[in-house]
Amino acid sequence: QSVLTQPPSVSGAPGQRVTISCTGSSSNIGAGFDVHWYQQLPGTAPKLLIYANNNRPSGVPDRFSGSKSGTSAALAITGLRPEDEGDYYCQSYDYSLSGSLFGGGTRLTVL
Amino acid sequence: QVQLVQSGAAVKKPGSSVKVFCKASGGTFSRYAISWVRQAPGQGLEWMGGIIPIFGTTKYTQKFQGRLTITADESTDTAYMELSSLRSEDTAMYYCAGRLGVADTEEFDPWGQGTLVTVSS
């Protein structure tokens, strides 16, 4: 089945580190397609956070990092800040769908 | 970098159609492929389909085949998304998103501000 699975929620205290996983399959991440991550703050449009597995667009702090291995990817956020609260989505290409696929999203709460 | 500005919110009756535009400014529209992504209230992101304006080629996800039409007008740097036979489940925020180049595997950047479509009798 062509899905990208993310945990519904993660939380952490200010200054802590959290990771968000994104698990795919052999038709998407496992096939070698890049994983991209988006941040969606409350009431706003998604914003590109990490592209091509582990690259940050200009202006994205180095507190955000990405990794990929096998059929999974992960987003790590260090030095958590209250303004990081929001939803985070992974995205990849799926060849069985012949199109883009988003994970279900993860709600980050900064305690 | 190009910016994408979308049309305003719309309220539609079940069974009708909606057409949303996405206008590019500040960059070269022809370098981008435009996709449409929707987000139902309280839900995640869902890729609907896209267009490569310089080629006029479109791709739609199976779920929307037959109801979705994506077009582009290079003379006005504008892409359009038309969804027909609307039902209440189509109530959502609709985003256009640009992809530099033609590869389907690339990231979406930039995004439009979103257009809220409400389907209600």
Side-chain angles (χ1 to χ4, degrees), chain B:
Chain B
Q1 185 187 3
V2 72
Q3 294 181 314
L4 302 176
V5 178
Q6 299 181 222
S7 46
V11 179
K12 295 292 181 178
K13 300 283 190 192
S16 67
S17 298
V18 67
K19 192 169 186 176
V20 180
F21 75 73
C22 169
K23 183 170 174 60
S25 64
T28 307
F29 181 67
S30 61
R31 297 180 64 199
Y32 287 82
I34 301 295
S35 275
W36 290 88
V37 177
R38 83 174 185 181
Q39 185 171 37
Q43 302 300 309
L45 303 173
E46 179 180 30
W47 181 76
M48 301 174 68
I51 187 168
I52 303 175
I54 56 170
F55 299 137
T57 53
T58 55
K59 184 179 286 189
Y60 304 116
T61 193
Q62 181 86 8
K63 178 176 179 178
F64 297 102
Q65 286 278 4
R67 287 207 299 144
L68 177 63
T69 304
I70 298 174
T71 56
D73 182 346
E74 283 192 272
S75 69
T76 59
D77 291 347
T78 305
Y80 299 88
M81 184 281 297
E82 184 169 22
L83 188 61
S84 63
S85 301
L86 290 170
R87 34 214 189 221
S88 58
E89 310 90 86
D90 294 318
T91 293
M93 186 71 81
Y94 290 77
Y95 295 101
C96 63
R99 179 178 262 165
L100 195 60
V102 300
D104 284 345
T105 58
E106 300 295 310
E107 68 275 11
F108 294 114
D109 183 41
W111 292 67
Q113 85 276 19
T115 297
L116 180 62
V117 175
T118 302
V119 183
S120 174
S121 54

Side-chain angles (χ1 to χ4, degrees), chain A residues 37 47-51 54-61, chain B residues 107 109:
Chain A
W37 290 90
K47 167 195 162 187
L48 180 66
L49 196 63
I50 297 287
Y51 67 95
N54 55 15
N55 296 278
R56 285 186 307 276
S58 173
V60 173
Chain B
E107 68 275 11
D109 183 41

